[in-house]
Amino acid sequence: MATTVTSTKTAEKRKTRSGGGSKFPGPNGKGPKGNGNGGGKRDPRRGLSPEAYRVTMWVVIAAIVMMFAALSSAYIILSFDQERRLVTMPPMFFLSTGIIILSSFTIETAKRSLKRENEARYRSWTIATLVLGLFFLAAQVMGWRELAAQGVYFRSHPHSTFFYFFTGVHGVHLLGGITGLSYLAIRGRRGGRAGKLMPQETSAGLMSLYWHTMDALWIWLFLLLLILK
Amino acid sequence: MSSETHEAVHRHEAPKSFIRKYIFSLDHKVIGIQYIILALAAVVVGVTMSVLMRLNLSWPGTKWSILGTLFPTGAPGGIMNPDFYLSLVTMHGTIMVFFVLTTAPQGGFGNYFLPIQIGAEDMAFPFLNMMSFWVTFVGFIVILAAIFVEGNTTIATSALGVWLGGGSGSTVGPIGGWTGYAPLSAVGVAAGPGQGAGMNLWIVSIAIFCIGSLLGALNFITTLLNMRTRGMTLMRMPLTCWAWFTTAVLALLSFPVLLGGGILLLLDRTVGTSFFIPGGLVFGSSVLNTHTGGSPILWQHLFWFFGHPEVYIAILPGMGATSHILSTFARKPIFGYRAMVFAIFAIGLLGFFVWGHHMFISGMSPYSAMTFSILTLSIGVPSAVKTFNWLGTLWGARIRFTTPMLFAIGFVSLFVAGGITGLVLGQTSLDLPMHDTYFVPAHFHLVMGVASIFGMFAAIYFWFPKMFGRFMNERLGKFHFWLTFIGVYCIFVPMHTMGMVGMPRRYSQFTEYRFLDSIHPLVIFVSIAAIITALVQLVFYFNLIWSVFKGKKAGENPWEATTLEWTTASPPPHDNFAGVLPVVYRGPYEFAVPGAPNDFVMQTEPDASKAGSEEVGGNGHNGHKH
Amino acid sequence: MGRALAVIIWILTLGSVSLFFVKKWWFPEAISAHAAALDRQFVLTIIVVGVAFTAAQVGLGYVVWKYRDRGPNDRAVYTHGSNRLEVVWTIVTAVIFIGLAVMGQSVWASLHFNKAPAGAFQVEVVAQQFQWNFHYAGKDGVFGRTDPNLIDDSATNYIGLDETDPNAKDDVTHTVIAIPEGRPIELILRSRDVIHNFWVPQLRFKQDLVPGMNIRVHFTANRPGKYELACAELCGQFHYRMKSFMLVLPAAEHEALMALPQDQFQTRITELLAKYELPVYQQ
């Protein structure tokens, strides 16, 4: 009735066997309802299952959202000060908002192309998203110029600071997304079918999740700046 | 009949070089030990600082010559300056809360044992895991740098010191307390010594720490949700795992807020923004014209929104370890497993809604204060439930008084002692006399500084045999327990009454006020207890190091425990289970099962009636002593 | 071992509770109108705390005494818990804790949910590193204008009083606060630099002074005397000696004081500080 509790002797014997390869993955226990013997989704050559990576991406998103939530509440509290100056929303920010919404559509198209096994389309729409992302960042910078032209600077009043700060912090996170997109686009080009860590579909899914979050975040920040002027 | 074998996935090969094995290791076990070592080093710094504080408070005006030699500007002639004292307060708090209480329980033991207890061969992202430790380590170096940049006049006035913000030479860091309230923390050197480079380094260190913590949290959550072995359902996980999981979620949601706040504070200090600095401030006789519109209370909100979950991050792993260890040495299932899980959730969840109780008299809306107050006392309910369940676990038990068990029982005693005074501090009306008096440090030291540490001690003594294949010395361990247990009561209970008399926090001396004259004997008593207790910890360090090399050998399951870590070798092999992942058939605390041949049935045992009918591996009954 | 542990736990419990019981170190005698209710709530809470603390420690000691392992043939009770017990003790605890919480709001509400009563005596408090400044409105009852740009410590204009403002003519500033007995006091709290906290232990009251805010609080003191005033929020190096005094004066004496111009006011305060003694504190 040997269980895996054995004397040290047997354990040592097993150790020498464990050198390399594996035949079956150890399935996950999932959920409260019983054991995870359906663990076939996990391919030993690939590490974690796609669900696992999705969970990770949601976890990352949760952290990012919390930080922006903190900064947003700071903004809300500080916008109650009567001393602040009224800021006109730079027109460039309207343009950039449009761009980023469009880019969500392009990345979604890319993802769906991959589902339909159309790799070429996936790659081109990914690149399109990437380009739109860069245009977005450019528009943000131009928006800063428009702010300065109004006489609104980083240090004028904390309320004004946020126009720069939000775009800056968001831009940094978006740059992370652009880096990811570049990586996917390049890797796709090298004809990778099976990525080392995860299948292409998974990475495309994760990337689009992140990108949509960046889009939603910008829309939130934009509306916040617009409405709580 | 053969056990089911599940071939393990080989996620990374066993390392060969010394550097890959012990320095930049991807192995969660090594990383766990690294975190523990970091905490052991940090706590020495923290305790030394607190002893220095006690010396100053108890015998003001005494010339401590070593101090005078090391810090001639901060303690001229060996007598501590008030700013030097305040920087000790600040650094003590910061180092203890972050680099001791937020590292060892979670990053240390959690990293080591979470994967093993759920039957995985490593964390989900070993590389990120390694990064999380080294990032935290860099954070520690940065905060230690503050000691040198502020404490040494040569460094302080050098080009580096000036670039960092200007050091005073008379402190060992910033003087704003670990809470760093603005505008004191935001305006730089205008507000006083230590508020230049020391403050900047403090913020940067904490920001780095945030990132390390987030990387860790990521790993914990993904690993627990996705890498449990077959049969390890969520409700069969040891309570330690539930605690580590909830702690990770708390960290995930609270550290980003601190990071955000810290960035805003750093911008205020370096770039001239005014998030926390209102207009028209006057320092000396000059008006600060460069800032306007900021809100000091905003800093408090951001800080405490993080700060309150942080204290639960500090205590939850200890609670998990206590539940685990109590059950093991009581030889009895944990009383109310499900209730314990819900209590952990409730504490974690409610912990996000009570931050305002640190701010009742801050100028915040009194209506908000009232809401926070009622929510705060509600959080006492799940904590009480846990205490009842611990007592329930011990009732009808067959207790084996090993050192880890003593510390676990000590945890229960100290957690009650510390937590119960939350009922006082949590009421708005009662906070009026109590806020910022010694009643507050009495409360939080008992829960955070002592109960939490006892959880860690229990964990160390408990898991040491698994980690190193040897026992720690029981006699030294018991000596450590008795003196520490009595010592901490002597240190922190009198502080309650000191607070009631009216002793304010963060005073470098108490000589100015007549209403404080009566507490002097208590102050001395506390200091003597503190010094003795601090010295006793040397015994622990000696025991730890000596036992690694010379401790009595331990087998696979020396304590006759039931969870997965006790099914593998001591120490475990590189992939934890020697290529064969365990399969789980039952819950984690199956002790005293009727009909079973032994008084424990391991989680991997498919048939309880035949459990362990052959000799259990390891030392069998040698594991415990009365 | 179990017995020793139980005994030590009980001794520590006894010692801890005694420390409170002997009342040797306790709040100083209160002088404010709301203090009686507050002290009652404190005593009630500390009794609940004491009972819960003692019960838990006694219980802990009892179980470790009684349920020690007596040998290999001795098994513990195999139980996973009791749902009924969980419900019962959760509800009981919740009722007690939330009950206390609700009760603990009433003094707070009485102080903070209403504005100061009409006819309250107003004092403007301007805190700075490391000194208290109190601004009295004088006979006209109107505070003169202040401006941070007018602050000049060397000229002892600590609060930046605008001398050109007619309302400022009869204003007086001093580092000591003198309030009338038995009449509601309204403090208008401000800070020049960092956060401070106004605290007189006998008042059973404290409040942060936050730069950028004007915080209004009110209370009533009902025993004449001289009391020490301390800062209760870390404000920098000399936080430990940001000290002053609060004088609570009989109505007539206070009115006479408030009628004095600045220089006579200062002299009179010095006399009053000598006249009134600090409370006698237990040693």
Side-chain angles (χ1 to χ4, degrees):
Chain A
M1 56 91 12
T3 66
T4 48
V5 178
T6 59
S7 64
T8 41
K9 268 198 303 164
T10 328
E12 258 153 34
K13 248 202 292 183
R14 278 208 224 104
K15 254 189 267 191
T16 57
R17 221 176 18 149
S18 70
S22 51
K23 292 185 202 70
F24 306 101
N28 300 327
K30 267 195 199 318
K33 273 200 296 266
N35 46 38
N37 52 11
K41 291 200 182 92
R42 193 169 144 199
D43 184 333
R45 286 164 301 172
R46 300 268 174 102
L48 298 177
S49 67
E51 283 84 57
Y53 286 111
R54 277 191 91 78
V55 165
T56 309
M57 182 51 79
W58 278 113
V59 166
V60 169
I61 289 174
I64 295 177
V65 165
M66 282 312 288
M67 189 173 88
F68 278 97
L71 296 176
S72 303
S73 32
Y75 176 74
I76 293 173
I77 291 182
L78 290 172
S79 55
F80 287 130
D81 183 30
Q82 301 308 317
E83 300 248 326
R84 73 180 195 279
R85 53 188 310 154
L86 251 25
V87 180
T88 318
M89 180 64 75
M92 266 296 152
F93 285 171
F94 285 94
L95 177 64
S96 62
T97 308
I99 294 177
I100 201 172
I101 293 177
L102 190 60
S103 71
S104 262
F105 283 106
T106 54
I107 201 175
E108 196 58 31
T109 312
K111 192 179 81 164
R112 287 181 194 196
S113 310
L114 200 58
K115 256 206 195 115
R116 281 183 255 113
E117 308 275 317
N118 193 336
E119 260 198 60
R121 261 177 77 103
Y122 161 68
R123 208 178 331 120
S124 26
W125 284 99
T126 302
I127 294 177
T129 312
L130 199 157
V131 169
L132 283 175
L134 289 169
F135 275 138
F136 171 84
L137 289 178
Q140 301 287 71
V141 174
M142 310 243 275
W144 286 358
R145 290 246 182 87
E146 288 178 343
L147 280 171
Q150 279 184 54
V152 173
Y153 298 98
F154 192 60
R155 288 196 261 180
S156 311
H157 181 282
H159 174 263
S160 331
T161 310
F162 274 104
F163 278 80
Y164 292 94
F165 191 58
F166 277 153
T167 43
V169 177
H170 175 264
V172 163
H173 285 84
L174 192 81
L175 206 54
I178 291 180
T179 313
L181 279 180
S182 318
Y183 175 74
L184 287 187
I186 296 175
R187 202 189 68 187
R189 197 153 198 271
R190 284 208 232 108
R193 211 167 341 173
K196 238 181 37 168
L197 258 186
M198 62 181 99
Q200 221 174 13
E201 261 189 47
T202 310
S203 51
L206 295 181
M207 199 59 240
S208 78
L209 185 55
Y210 183 84
W211 197 265
H212 291 316
T213 307
M214 288 297 119
D215 184 1
L217 256 177
W218 173 250
I219 294 176
W220 157 256
L221 293 173
F222 177 72
L223 288 176
L224 195 59
L225 290 171
L226 187 62
I227 297 178
L228 258 186
K229 270 197 295 213
Chain B
M1 138 189 67
S2 64
S3 59
E4 306 209 23
T5 58
H6 290 267
E7 300 294 332
V9 171
H10 242 267
R11 320 244 339 283
H12 49 93
E13 295 288 331
K16 305 277 189 312
S17 72
F18 180 86
I19 298 230
R20 298 297 292 178
K21 263 189 7 182
Y22 299 113
I23 314 283
F24 293 111
S25 170
L26 298 172
D27 185 343
H28 69 101
K29 300 186 284 299
V30 175
I31 295 170
I33 293 181
Q34 287 174 324
Y35 266 107
I36 294 174
I37 293 177
L38 176 68
L40 288 173
V43 80
V44 170
V45 179
V47 168
T48 306
M49 290 181 166
S50 65
V51 169
L52 287 175
M53 286 155 56
R54 292 305 323 165
L55 292 179
N56 188 58
L57 288 177
S58 311
W59 300 283
T62 310
K63 299 187 182 13
W64 308 100
S65 43
I66 301 184
L67 213 54
T69 321
L70 286 173
F71 298 104
T73 323
I79 300 182
M80 222 184 265
N81 279 339
D83 38 320
F84 188 85
Y85 176 86
L86 289 175
S87 67
L88 286 175
V89 170
T90 308
M91 296 293 275
H92 165 83
T94 310
I95 289 177
M96 293 300 223
V97 171
F98 289 106
F99 295 98
V100 179
L101 294 176
T102 314
T103 50
Q106 182 82 352
F109 293 103
N111 246 319
Y112 199 113
F113 286 102
L114 177 71
I116 304 181
Q117 284 192 336
I118 62 171
E121 6 129 75
D122 204 317
M123 284 283 195
F125 305 110
F127 182 75
L128 284 186
N129 204 14
M130 178 182 80
M131 289 308 296
S132 83
F133 171 73
W134 285 108
V135 167
T136 307
F137 180 79
V138 168
F140 187 54
I141 299 296
V142 172
I143 195 124
L144 288 182
I147 299 178
F148 293 97
V149 175
E150 284 285 355
N152 183 298
T153 322
T154 319
I155 303 180
T157 48
S158 70
L160 174 68
V162 169
W163 179 75
L164 284 171
S168 60
S170 69
T171 66
V172 288
I175 63 171
W178 89 286
T179 49
Y181 278 13
L184 181 62
S185 61
V187 296
V189 286
Q195 295 307 87
M199 193 68 211
N200 286 336
L201 287 170
W202 185 86
I203 298 175
V204 169
S205 161
I206 288 178
I208 295 174
F209 187 90
C210 286
I211 301 199
S213 241
L214 287 172
L215 291 176
L218 196 80
N219 247 320
F220 275 70
I221 295 172
T222 310
T223 305
L224 186 137
L225 290 178
N226 289 283
M227 294 179 66
R228 283 165 288 126
T229 189
R230 165 134 30 134
M232 181 59 82
T233 62
L234 287 175
M235 292 310 260
R236 283 179 180 168
M237 289 198 307
L239 285 171
T240 39
C241 297
W242 279 113
W244 287 319
F245 176 69
T246 310
T247 303
V249 173
L250 291 182
L252 183 76
L253 300 177
S254 65
F255 271 103
V257 176
L258 180 66
L259 184 61
I263 294 175
L264 296 183
L265 187 60
L266 200 56
L267 287 176
D268 270 8
R269 296 173 52 80
T270 51
V271 167
T273 51
S274 308
F275 296 109
F276 307 118
I277 307 175
L281 295 188
V282 176
F283 288 92
S285 267
S286 49
V287 183
L288 221 54
N289 281 316
T290 44
H291 296 272
T292 182
S295 164
I297 299 189
L298 175 61
W299 166 261
Q300 293 180 44
H301 279 297
L302 290 173
F303 181 84
W304 286 118
F305 185 87
F306 149 78
H308 199 80
E310 164 65 16
V311 311
Y312 293 114
I313 289 172
I315 193 89
L316 279 174
M319 288 178 158
T322 295
S323 299
H324 194 81
I325 293 171
L326 280 182
S327 173
T328 302
F329 293 105
R331 314 308 293 165
K332 186 167 174 273
I334 193 80
F335 196 92
Y337 175 90
R338 215 168 260 270
M340 289 300 234
V341 174
F342 284 134
I344 291 177
F345 279 162
I347 291 173
L349 182 66
L350 281 173
F352 273 104
F353 295 109
V354 300
W355 80 90
H357 68 233
H358 302 270
M359 297 167 59
F360 286 146
I361 48 79
S362 65
M364 172 174 83
S365 147
Y367 299 96
S368 311
M370 182 174 78
T371 316
F372 279 120
S373 175
I374 300 193
L375 284 167
T376 300
L377 265 77
S378 317
I379 218 176
V381 178
S383 307
V385 166
K386 289 190 87 71
T387 308
F388 295 136
N389 279 300
W390 286 322
L391 291 175
T393 305
L394 294 173
W395 175 89
R398 294 293 175 264
I399 302 173
R400 299 178 177 175
F401 289 99
T402 59
T403 304
M405 184 55 161
L406 291 173
F407 276 104
I409 294 172
F411 178 98
V412 178
S413 174
L414 291 161
F415 176 71
V416 170
I420 204 77
T421 50
L423 285 182
V424 174
L425 291 168
Q427 294 180 49
T428 44
S429 309
L430 299 186
D431 193 52
L432 284 172
M434 293 311 198
H435 173 82
D436 226 69
T437 64
Y438 262 67
F439 200 94
V440 179
H443 165 74
F444 69 68
H445 275 95
L446 274 172
V447 271
M448 272 211 304
V450 180
S452 196
I453 298 279
F454 267 56
M456 271 195 270
F457 281 141
I460 290 183
Y461 284 100
F462 182 63
W463 277 314
F464 189 93
K466 177 55 57 181
M467 290 160 72
F468 298 104
R470 292 173 186 274
F471 287 97
M472 285 180 75
N473 184 285
E474 269 293 299
R475 208 170 285 157
L476 289 179
K478 291 192 161 97
F479 175 80
H480 176 219
F481 167 75
W482 288 112
L483 276 141
T484 308
F485 186 56
I486 297 171
V488 295
Y489 261 99
C490 293
I491 299 172
F492 294 110
V493 171
M495 284 192 187
H496 294 93
T497 46
M498 286 150 94
M500 286 164 63
V501 168
M503 220 159 117
R505 290 176 73 178
R506 297 160 167 177
Y507 269 34
S508 55
Q509 54 201 65
F510 295 110
T511 48
E512 302 293 313
Y513 292 90
R514 303 285 66 76
F515 73 85
L516 295 177
D517 286 343
S518 64
I519 48 149
H520 203 65
L522 282 180
V523 173
I524 307 264
F525 177 80
V526 165
S527 296
I528 294 180
I531 293 169
I532 295 178
T533 311
L535 288 174
V536 167
Q537 307 313 305
L538 293 174
V539 171
F540 167 72
Y541 274 83
F542 170 77
N543 192 357
L544 197 61
I545 299 173
W546 182 86
S547 302
V548 170
F549 302 103
K550 294 272 205 266
K552 190 174 75 155
K553 288 238 190 219
E556 253 181 35
N557 191 1
W559 305 121
E560 296 184 319
T562 55
T563 45
L564 293 185
E565 72 267 36
W566 307 106
T567 68
T568 186
S570 300
H574 174 65
D575 67 345
N576 295 341
F577 295 103
V580 181
L581 289 180
V583 179
V584 172
Y585 295 95
R586 63 192 68 246
Y589 301 114
E590 293 301 294
F591 295 97
V593 179
N598 281 335
D599 74 341
F600 68 103
V601 181
M602 303 203 70
Q603 283 196 276
T604 47
E605 177 56 65
D607 187 346
S609 59
K610 307 214 184 84
S613 42
E614 69 224 26
E615 193 201 306
V616 177
N619 296 341
H621 283 264
N622 293 4
H624 64 276
K625 289 194 172 63
H626 295 278
Chain C
M1 182 65 61
R3 274 180 289 216
L5 185 55
V7 168
I8 296 281
I9 289 177
W10 291 336
I11 293 177
L12 290 169
T13 304
L14 192 61
S16 305
V17 172
S18 313
L19 197 59
F20 285 78
F21 229 69
V22 298
K23 277 209 173 184
K24 182 165 156 58
W25 292 281
W26 201 260
F27 297 115
E29 233 180 298
I31 61 168
S32 62
H34 66 268
L38 194 149
D39 285 358
R40 266 197 308 272
Q41 178 65 14
F42 179 81
V43 168
L44 172 65
T45 305
I46 209 75
I47 289 177
V48 172
V49 165
V51 166
F53 171 73
T54 309
Q57 306 291 348
V58 166
L60 185 63
Y62 174 76
V63 291
V64 305
W65 177 303
K66 181 151 185 222
Y67 295 111
R68 54 195 193 280
D69 189 5
R70 290 161 217 267
N73 293 324
D74 194 31
R75 292 269 176 107
V77 174
Y78 182 72
T79 171
H80 282 277
S82 154
N83 279 337
R84 201 160 63 96
L85 262 180
E86 301 288 350
V87 170
V88 166
W89 60 42
T90 305
I91 293 183
V92 171
T93 313
V95 165
I96 296 176
F97 286 14
I98 304 210
L100 267 180
V102 169
M103 289 175 71
Q105 305 309 316
S106 60
V107 173
W108 177 264
S110 73
L111 290 170
H112 287 291
F113 285 6
N114 313 303
K115 290 222 226 309
F121 178 75
Q122 291 184 321
V123 183
E124 200 182 47
V125 185
V126 180
Q128 69 179 88
Q129 287 180 322
F130 301 95
Q131 171 177 306
W132 293 98
N133 302 299
F134 299 99
H135 181 195
Y136 301 92
K139 261 205 286 262
D140 62 357
V142 179
F143 289 103
R145 192 181 85 88
T146 57
D147 186 332
N149 291 298
L150 298 172
I151 289 178
D152 186 354
D153 283 0
S154 54
T156 67
N157 189 353
Y158 297 108
I159 67 171
L161 193 60
D162 182 359
E163 307 281 358
T164 65
D165 181 2
N167 291 319
K169 289 272 184 313
D170 60 350
D171 287 13
V172 173
T173 59
H174 199 283
T175 56
V176 170
I177 179 171
I179 57 175
E181 156 197 20
R183 182 175 158 199
I185 310 297
E186 186 180 29
L187 297 182
I188 303 160
L189 301 165
R190 288 171 30 208
S191 167
R192 258 174 56 162
D193 40 33
V194 297
I195 301 180
H196 300 269
N197 185 298
F198 177 92
W199 185 46
V200 176
Q202 284 86 352
L203 274 182
R204 303 285 194 274
F205 183 85
K206 55 165 68 86
Q207 175 60 46
D208 274 0
L209 285 79
V210 182
M213 291 176 74
N214 281 355
I215 299 176
R216 289 171 183 253
V217 295
H218 60 92
F219 56 84
T220 306
N222 49 30
R223 186 170 324 163
K226 178 172 83 174
Y227 308 97
E228 289 164 303
L229 165 66
C231 177
E233 186 58 56
L234 175 58
C235 54
Q237 261 179 306
F238 299 112
H239 170 57
Y240 76 96
R241 60 165 158 87
M242 186 166 157
K243 177 180 176 174
S244 185
F245 294 96
M246 183 173 83
L247 281 166
V248 181
L249 304 171
E253 199 170 28
H254 186 263
E255 215 179 304
L257 171 65
M258 289 301 140
L260 298 172
Q262 177 79 38
D263 44 346
Q264 290 178 40
F265 188 96
Q266 274 161 225
T267 323
R268 183 71 187 128
I269 290 275
T270 316
E271 287 168 13
L272 288 169
L273 287 174
K275 170 182 170 190
Y276 286 96
E277 309 248 314
L278 288 177
V280 175
Y281 296 111
Q282 302 173 290
Q283 288 298 322

